[in-house]
Amino acid sequence: KKDEEKKDDDDVEVSDADEEDDDKKKKKTKTIKEKKVEWEVVNQTKAIWLRAPKDLKKDEYNNFFKSLTKEFDDPLDVIHFSAEGEIEFKAILFVPKKAPYDMFDKLQTKQTNLKLYVRRVFISDEFDDLMPRYLSFIRGVVDSEDLPLNVSREMLQQSRVLKVIKKKLVSKALEMIKRLSEAEEKAVEAMSSEEEEAEEEAKKEAEGKKEEEEKKEGEKKEDD
């Protein structure tokens, strides 16, 4: 009987289909879907005041001034600087070609000539604490590293940081005005010098003509 059972086992055939089913069961895996989020930087332009002055061209300053002030003329002068040390900030100041038409009509209103940023975040442009009234025609931007982002006007009025920034801004603004004044004086001197030279040449030319005429008259008398 045992020999018969063994023989029956030997006679059992395993089909290829059964083997494939076994392989599928072994190879069956679970597919997991993953979602990937890709961020795209829309504005890759670095703020102009964060760039080194040596890397900027005059046209870039002019275009920035026009976009800042909505004016059509280029500025008379520009100064781009950064303060480092205990208090850090960067600034660009402009002297416009023309004074604002309503410059003297805004004595009782907030000045909007300078835009204040704190770590590249715009805070406000309505401050009387960044520039005195007599320099209200100066335009530009200031970006501080030391002021808090949730700064208020009340805090600004008592801020030691703002007082230091204001002092530096006034100094740089006056430096620009002095530079323009000296350039104008040199231009006037050069113009005066040119006028004097032209006047001297005209005198010499007139004297030469007079001598020539006198010489001709003398020769004519001798002939007579």
Side-chain angles (χ1 to χ4, degrees):
K1 189 175 182 181
K2 286 182 180 181
D3 293 338
E4 290 177 0
E5 288 177 358
K6 187 177 180 181
K7 187 177 181 182
D8 292 339
D9 292 338
D10 294 338
D11 294 338
V12 175
E13 294 182 0
V14 180
S15 65
D16 293 338
D18 292 338
E19 290 178 357
E20 288 179 3
D21 290 340
D22 291 340
D23 291 340
K24 285 182 180 179
K25 287 178 182 179
K26 291 178 182 178
K27 293 179 182 180
K28 190 175 183 182
T29 56
K30 186 178 181 181
T31 304
I32 299 174
K33 293 183 179 180
E34 292 183 358
K35 289 185 178 180
K36 289 186 179 180
V37 179
E38 294 183 359
W39 294 93
E40 180 181 357
V41 179
V42 177
N43 186 7
Q44 296 183 348
T45 305
K46 195 176 183 180
I48 188 172
W49 59 86
L50 298 178
R51 298 166 61 188
K54 64 180 181 179
D55 297 332
L56 290 166
K57 297 179 181 178
K58 187 177 180 180
D59 289 342
E60 292 181 275
Y61 283 118
N62 292 343
N63 292 334
F64 177 67
F65 171 77
K66 291 174 183 177
S67 66
L68 181 72
T69 62
K70 311 303 179 189
E71 293 191 13
F72 299 102
D73 296 324
D74 294 335
L76 280 179
D77 201 2
V78 57
I79 191 163
H80 182 186
F81 65 97
S82 60
E84 297 178 352
E86 185 181 357
I87 294 174
E88 296 183 2
F89 70 92
K90 299 180 185 297
I92 300 180
L93 302 179
F94 297 95
V95 177
K97 195 170 186 178
K98 299 177 182 177
Y101 69 92
D102 56 351
M103 180 176 172
F104 299 104
D105 298 334
K106 294 184 176 182
L107 297 177
Q108 305 302 323
T109 59
K110 293 287 183 183
Q111 296 186 65
T112 58
N113 54 325
L114 294 179
K115 294 185 181 295
L116 176 65
Y117 289 78
V118 175
R119 294 188 288 279
R120 274 68 67 197
V121 178
F122 176 67
I123 301 300
S124 180
D125 59 358
E126 295 183 354
F127 288 111
D128 291 328
D129 306 293
L130 285 173
M131 196 71 76
R133 286 282 176 179
Y134 68 88
L135 292 174
S136 60
F137 59 90
I138 298 291
R139 309 299 295 271
V141 295
V142 183
D143 191 349
S144 171
E145 295 289 336
D146 301 289
L147 289 170
L149 285 171
N150 59 345
V151 66
S152 64
R153 290 189 179 90
E154 292 75 16
M155 289 174 63
L156 283 174
Q157 290 174 354
Q158 301 173 0
S159 173
R160 186 182 68 86
V161 173
L162 196 69
K163 290 178 182 178
V164 175
I165 292 175
K166 179 179 179 179
K167 186 178 180 180
K168 190 72 173 178
L169 292 177
V170 172
S171 174
K172 290 295 184 180
L174 294 176
E175 182 182 322
M176 269 197 303
I177 295 171
K178 183 181 179 181
R179 190 164 63 197
L180 287 170
S181 177
E182 290 174 349
E184 187 175 356
E185 286 178 3
K186 288 180 180 179
V188 171
E189 288 175 1
M191 190 178 295
S192 299
S193 179
E194 288 177 0
E195 288 177 355
E196 288 176 1
E197 289 177 1
E199 190 175 345
E200 287 292 330
E201 287 180 2
K203 282 183 180 180
K204 288 180 180 179
E205 188 176 349
E207 288 174 357
K209 285 182 179 180
K210 187 177 180 181
E211 289 177 358
E212 190 175 345
E213 288 175 359
E214 288 176 352
K215 187 177 180 182
K216 286 181 179 179
E217 287 180 3
E219 291 176 352
K220 188 176 181 183
K221 286 180 181 179
E222 288 178 358
D223 292 339
D224 293 340

